[in-house]
């Protein structure tokens, strides 16, 4: 029996030698993993001095009927990615006061974030007769929209003027 116990003690020491190849394999695997990570070059990044965040609002026409949907397009004309929500403001130019007045809108804004790559565009719309809380007046309006440059957090204030002409419903 003593011999059997001694054999068991010796057999317990042999598995300790198995850890050496396992550790070696783990180390080699880590080296291969890190070597693969080093090959990722950042060629797509534009230096800050060459960043050009630019955007415009485009309208298909400059004048709309009060019952017509006003569809506008935000175009990314720069070389950086832009981000924004769906929120926009409308102002009315009061000729009596010679001031822009904010128009209260009856719209629900989904809380999502839109990303716009260079050269891409995004379209939104509203209907003056349906969405202006205090009614539609004949005259000049403007759309105000904020977009943000993803790389620099620079905020761009976009504006586009348009006209609404009041038409008689009975025509």
């Amino acid at each position: 029996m003593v011999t059997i116990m001694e054999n068991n003690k010796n057999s317990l020491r042999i598995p300790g030698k198995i850890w050496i190849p396992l550790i070696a394999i783990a180390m080699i695997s880590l080296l291969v993993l890190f070597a693969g990570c080093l090959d990722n070059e950042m060629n797509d990044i534009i230096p800050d001095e060459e960043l050009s965040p630019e955007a415009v609002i485009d309208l298909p026409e400059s004048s709309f009927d009060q019952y017509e949907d006003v569809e506008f397009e935000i175009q990314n004309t720069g070389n950086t990615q832009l981000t924004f929500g769906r929120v926009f403001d409308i102002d009315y130019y009061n000729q009596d006061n010679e001031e822009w007045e904010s128009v209260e809108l009856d719209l629900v804004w989904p809380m999502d974030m839109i990303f716009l790559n260079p050269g891409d565009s995004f379209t939104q719309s509203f209907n003056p007769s349906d969405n202006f809380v205090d009614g539609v007046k004949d005259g000049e309006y403007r759309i105000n929209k904020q977009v943000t440059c993803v790389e620099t957090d620079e905020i761009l204030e976009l504006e586009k003027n348009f006209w609404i002409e009041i038409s008689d419903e009975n025509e």
Side-chain angles (χ1 to χ4, degrees):
M1 261 176 113
V2 174
T3 307
I4 294 175
M5 291 299 259
E6 286 180 18
N7 286 340
N8 284 340
K9 287 182 183 179
N10 288 340
S11 65
L12 290 176
R13 290 184 189 167
I14 294 174
K17 294 180 182 179
I18 293 176
W19 286 105
I20 295 172
L22 291 176
I23 292 173
I25 290 171
M27 294 297 285
I28 291 170
S29 298
L30 284 174
L31 288 174
V32 169
L33 174 70
F34 288 128
C37 292
L38 295 176
D39 288 340
N40 296 332
E41 293 182 22
M42 301 177 93
N43 293 333
D44 296 354
I45 295 183
I46 302 169
D48 285 344
E49 57 273 0
E50 294 179 23
L51 290 176
S52 177
E54 297 174 21
V56 295
I57 295 177
D58 188 35
L59 289 166
E61 327 174 358
S62 61
S63 182
F64 298 88
D65 181 81
Q66 65 186 356
Y67 301 106
E68 184 178 357
D69 285 344
V70 178
E71 190 171 274
F72 62 95
E73 186 176 69
I74 297 96
Q75 297 176 344
N76 184 347
T77 57
N79 64 358
T80 64
Q81 188 179 46
L82 302 175
T83 185
F84 53 90
R86 294 181 188 264
V87 176
F88 60 87
D89 296 315
I90 303 292
D91 293 330
Y92 169 73
Y93 186 71
N94 186 331
Q95 291 182 347
D96 297 334
N97 300 340
E98 296 183 354
E99 292 180 340
W100 289 100
E101 298 174 350
S102 181
V103 174
E104 186 178 350
L105 298 173
D106 182 19
L107 287 169
V108 176
W109 309 107
M111 298 305 290
D112 56 356
M113 191 63 63
I114 296 142
F115 289 88
L116 204 58
N117 291 320
D120 288 349
S121 61
F122 180 79
T123 303
Q124 289 186 258
S125 67
F126 64 95
N127 185 298
S129 64
D130 292 341
N131 301 128
F132 288 10
V133 172
D134 297 324
V136 183
K137 300 175 188 172
D138 192 55
E140 186 176 10
Y141 290 81
R142 73 177 173 199
I143 301 168
N144 301 305
K145 180 106 177 142
Q146 286 186 345
V147 299
T148 304
C149 176
V150 172
E151 287 88 356
T152 65
D153 289 333
E154 178 182 347
I155 296 174
L156 304 174
E157 301 279 343
L158 307 180
E159 292 181 353
K160 184 67 173 190
N161 292 15
F162 63 98
W163 290 84
I164 293 180
E165 298 174 3
I166 303 296
S167 64
D168 188 9
E169 290 183 61
N170 297 330
E171 291 181 10

